[in-house]
Each structure stands twice: as structure tokens, then as C-alpha cells.
Amino acid sequence: MARTSVHIAALIAASCAFACHAGAEELRHYNVAGDGIAESLTGAPGDAARGRALVLARTTTCILCHSGPFPETRFQGDLAPDLSGAGNRWTVSQLRLRLVDAARFNPKTIMPSYYRTDHLVRVGRNFVGKPILSAAEIEDIVAFLATLRD
């Protein structure tokens, strides 16, 4: 089955419509240094167990595109890098920036910028100005991905 960027973007947009957890939260300021965001968005480390649950939740869309060491999860994605070994490939600050604003690494990426609200396209009227994930959810996912070592 051929997959196009338009179909994938539509799938992600539809999923994001259900996943917008952070609607009431104001974006917290962060500093990008080099290829990462060194400081936690919340000022504290995330919870890896909650992060794992978020990665596997279909509503966050991670598992729709990525696969990983999740034998209990059927129908993992194959459009994006396997998450196995993510903690070896990227630092915590690099992981954080990839979640916050994936377009910094590849302007044509289909991965949503989960903690950005500006310069986006095809944003539903109810979601304008709202990040897809909260700062705490970003930190939880970062904490989990950092544990994924080969």
C-alpha cells in the first residue's frame, strides 16, 4: 500500500485532534543551544513510566510512525526511525528538541512539532495556539526515550 505525505499528515492531524492535552497550558520559555534544549521544560526530570505509556498511546501518534522494543504492541509504524537505542543515538537535550520542534532538524519532516504553536500549517480552529503535548508530557517522553539503550 503506497503511503503519501498527504495521507500521513492527515492521519497525524486527526490523531492530534484527540491528543491535544496541553490546551490550557501556556508554553514555557526554552533555549535552544546547538542541537538541543538542555534544560527541562518543567524544571524537573520526567517520569519514564508515564513516558512509555504516552509513546504507546495511539493518541500521541508516536507509535503510528515509529516502532521500538514493544513486543506487546501490534501495528507499530515503519515510517520513522525505530526508537530502539534512541538513548544511545541522541542526548536528552537532543531528544527534547526533536519532540519540541522536529522541523529544526528537517523542515520537510512529517513529525509534528509537539510543543510549538507558531508557523504551523493546517491547524484546526480549536487547536490554534495550543501545543499538542504539555511540557510535563514532553519531559516524560524524553525520560523514557533516554532509557532506550541497545
Side-chain angles (χ1 to χ4, degrees):
M1 174 169 84
R3 296 180 186 171
T4 66
S5 295
V6 173
H7 292 114
I8 296 164
L11 177 63
I12 291 171
S15 297
C16 289
F18 296 106
C20 191
H21 305 271
E25 178 182 299
E26 187 173 319
L27 288 180
R28 297 180 188 195
H29 178 75
Y30 57 87
N31 291 313
V32 177
D35 61 353
I37 300 171
E39 295 182 24
S40 166
L41 299 176
T42 62
D47 179 274
R50 282 194 309 254
R52 185 180 197 284
L54 285 166
V55 166
L56 296 179
R58 298 282 178 189
T59 55
T60 59
T61 71
C62 302
I63 202 69
L64 294 177
C65 294
H66 295 276
S67 59
F70 317 114
E72 75 282 9
T73 302
R74 295 180 57 192
F75 308 115
Q76 297 180 35
D78 61 1
L79 301 170
D82 187 313
L83 297 176
S84 300
N88 289 334
R89 290 192 304 273
W90 299 295
T91 67
V92 167
S93 68
Q94 290 170 326
L95 289 167
R96 187 174 292 114
L97 181 54
R98 285 179 181 280
L99 289 168
V100 166
D101 187 7
R104 280 192 181 257
F105 296 97
N106 176 2
K108 295 185 184 238
T109 186
I110 60 169
M111 181 168 162
S113 294
Y114 285 99
Y115 198 71
R116 195 180 99 199
T117 59
D118 60 338
H119 307 294
L120 302 173
V121 295
R122 295 185 184 190
V123 177
R125 185 175 39 240
N126 294 338
F127 301 100
V128 172
K130 300 174 186 176
I132 296 169
L133 297 175
S134 70
E137 289 168 325
I138 294 284
E139 292 306 321
D140 291 343
I141 293 171
V142 166
F144 170 63
L145 293 176
T147 69
L148 297 180
R149 306 232 173 231
D150 290 330

